Amino acid sequence: MINPAPPPSCRQSPTDAREASITAWALAAGTGDPEAVEHFVRALHRDVRTYVTFLGADPQSADDLTQETFLRALGSLHRFEGRSSARTWLLSIARRAVVDSIRRDSARPRTAATDDWQSAAERAQPRDLPGFDDGIALADLLATLPDERREAFVLTQMLGLRYAEAADVSACPTGTVRSRVARARTSLIEWLAEAERPAPATPAV
């Protein structure tokens, strides 16, 4: 049986309440509660898949990486003590799964030179994000960012992690995450403005 999370205080935001519930499910799942396992996986499946899609070198295997992340997590849940949020803990596992996948891929001969990352990310990305209208796909813009800035932006601006939580996932200082996000925002704003700038009129012949 799931051990319910403590009732949220009047000062607790909906986001904090959700994080507390997910962490409670993870702790209960670690004791072998199958219902808690189901709740835990359902609550974080989309976040993990979004993250590995934008982070991974081979996004066509995003489903496999997501499954591998949860397999690793479920095998380690008995050691999860709730010192961090379960989502931060799980995304750290997802990051290691992606890194291991990149290492495996780099160790085997390539069968094709085509990199379909961008199209896969675009299919996974909702188009109704504020500030990215007029047919400009956020995935297209994110693809132009350096890996570290893209990761920081996805973690904080798309998945909603606090800077400190994103720092835990990325294994870097919080200030570094803030800097990467700020630079990513600046680049995205500049590229968006460039994309929306009218093309110069062609002189009539």
Side-chain angles (χ1 to χ4, degrees), residues 85-103:
S85 74
R87 186 161 65 135
T88 301
W89 175 77
L90 184 64
L91 289 173
S92 297
I93 294 175
R95 191 177 197 272
R96 289 195 294 272
V98 171
V99 170
D100 290 345
S101 174
I102 293 172
R103 288 173 177 167

Side-chain angles (χ1 to χ4, degrees), residues 193-202:
E194 180 67 26
E196 292 180 338
R197 187 172 297 126
T202 303

Side-chain angles (χ1 to χ4, degrees), residues 127-138 141 192 196:
R127 298 301 185 85
D128 57 352
L129 295 175
F132 291 92
D133 301 324
D134 302 326
I136 304 298
L138 177 57
L141 299 179
L192 181 61
E196 292 180 338

Side-chain angles (χ1 to χ4, degrees), residues 66-84:
T66 300
Q67 182 178 18
E68 181 177 348
T69 296
F70 280 104
L71 288 174
R72 291 186 183 192
L74 295 176
S76 304
L77 270 174
H78 62 284
R79 295 195 296 270
F80 176 67
E81 298 178 349
R83 294 177 181 174
S84 64

Side-chain angles (χ1 to χ4, degrees), residues 94-161:
R95 191 177 197 272
R96 289 195 294 272
V98 171
V99 170
D100 290 345
S101 174
I102 293 172
R103 288 173 177 167
R104 288 195 302 267
D105 290 344
S106 64
R108 67 168 68 104
R110 287 185 175 270
T111 57
T114 303
D115 183 1
D116 199 29
W117 173 147
Q118 185 170 332
S119 61
E122 185 172 352
R123 289 194 299 271
Q125 174 59 38
R127 298 301 185 85
D128 57 352
L129 295 175
F132 291 92
D133 301 324
D134 302 326
I136 304 298
L138 177 57
D140 291 341
L141 299 179
L142 285 175
T144 62
L145 291 173
D147 293 345
E148 296 85 356
R149 296 180 193 176
R150 183 171 66 246
E151 179 186 14
F153 186 91
V154 170
L155 286 171
T156 59
Q157 308 306 302
M158 295 174 61
L159 299 184
L161 266 66

